[in-house]
Amino acid sequence: MTTTSPVTNPAGGNARIKAIMIILGVAIPVVVAILHFFSKSFHIAGAQVKFLPAVNAVLNSLTAVCLLLGYYFIRQKQVLRHRAMMGTAFLLGALFLVSYVMYHSQVESTKFGGEGLIRGVYYFILLSHILLAAVTVGLVLFTLYFALTEQFAKHRRIARWTFPIWLYVSVTGVIVYFMISPYYT
């Protein structure tokens, strides 16, 4: 007689982990938004965070490189290298998120000072970046979940969406940094 764990579903996934992924996929963007829009509530006097936007740009750049390498490796059927790159991209993304929250909980948002067409371009990139970044959290978590639970068909299906969106978010994060950096005080 075979027994199954009460948290394992017939499709081979862990229901408890899946629930955690759903909660995190919703909670992380909400917490980031709260910390961003109510930053004065979390201000720590004397906190030195002015260097963090540059760190965030580096983290986003490295994430994009890892994503591209991970994509290359899986196309070459080098699964272990793919896992290493995607794991590194996940870690860099997590570090970025911590750094981003630290910065925006301590410093008011910088206003973009550009005018004319460049202003519209900046806000288009920024808005698409923010909206897709919120979606990316859940996509990344579920792509990771399907890989860790060896549901590779589901992993491949969601990764087709996750990869380009996550890459776009990483690259546009760097672009936004360079466009706004002249206006930091």
Side-chain angles (χ1 to χ4, degrees):
M1 179 164 101
T2 339
T3 60
T4 59
S5 166
V7 295
T8 302
N9 67 32
N14 184 311
R16 187 174 297 150
I17 293 173
K18 194 173 191 178
I20 291 168
M21 296 293 190
I22 291 170
I23 291 166
L24 288 174
V26 172
I28 290 171
V30 169
V31 169
V32 169
I34 289 168
L35 290 171
H36 182 76
F37 290 110
F38 300 102
S39 60
K40 290 180 182 175
S41 302
F42 304 97
H43 185 73
I44 300 169
Q48 300 297 315
V49 296
K50 298 269 184 192
F51 67 97
L52 288 179
V55 169
N56 293 342
V58 169
L59 290 171
N60 270 325
S61 298
L62 292 173
T63 299
V65 169
C66 287
L67 290 171
L68 290 168
L69 287 170
Y71 179 78
Y72 171 79
F73 288 138
I74 201 61
R75 303 309 283 168
Q76 300 299 312
K77 309 253 189 272
Q78 297 178 21
V79 175
L80 293 178
R81 288 182 175 178
H82 167 75
R83 284 183 189 165
M85 287 300 102
M86 301 316 283
T88 303
F90 183 81
L91 177 64
L92 290 167
L95 290 172
F96 164 82
L97 197 54
V98 169
S99 178
Y100 177 88
V101 167
M102 284 175 53
Y103 177 76
H104 284 285
S105 69
Q106 301 305 306
V107 178
E108 287 190 37
S109 292
T110 301
K111 303 286 186 226
F112 183 71
E115 296 177 0
L117 180 62
I118 195 68
R119 186 174 186 80
V121 169
Y122 171 78
Y123 281 109
F124 173 79
I125 293 171
L126 179 64
L127 183 60
S128 64
H129 170 80
I130 290 169
L131 292 174
L132 290 173
V135 171
T136 300
V137 173
L139 286 172
V140 168
L141 289 172
F142 273 95
T143 305
L144 179 62
Y145 168 77
F146 291 136
L148 293 175
T149 57
E150 298 182 357
Q151 297 179 64
F152 296 119
K154 289 181 180 181
H155 172 76
R156 281 188 294 277
R157 275 196 303 272
I158 195 171
R160 287 187 179 115
W161 291 94
T162 306
F163 169 72
I165 294 171
W166 192 3
L167 183 62
Y168 178 85
V169 168
S170 296
V171 170
T172 56
V174 177
I175 292 169
V176 165
Y177 167 75
F178 281 116
M179 292 181 81
I180 194 85
S181 63
Y183 307 104
Y184 285 123
T185 54

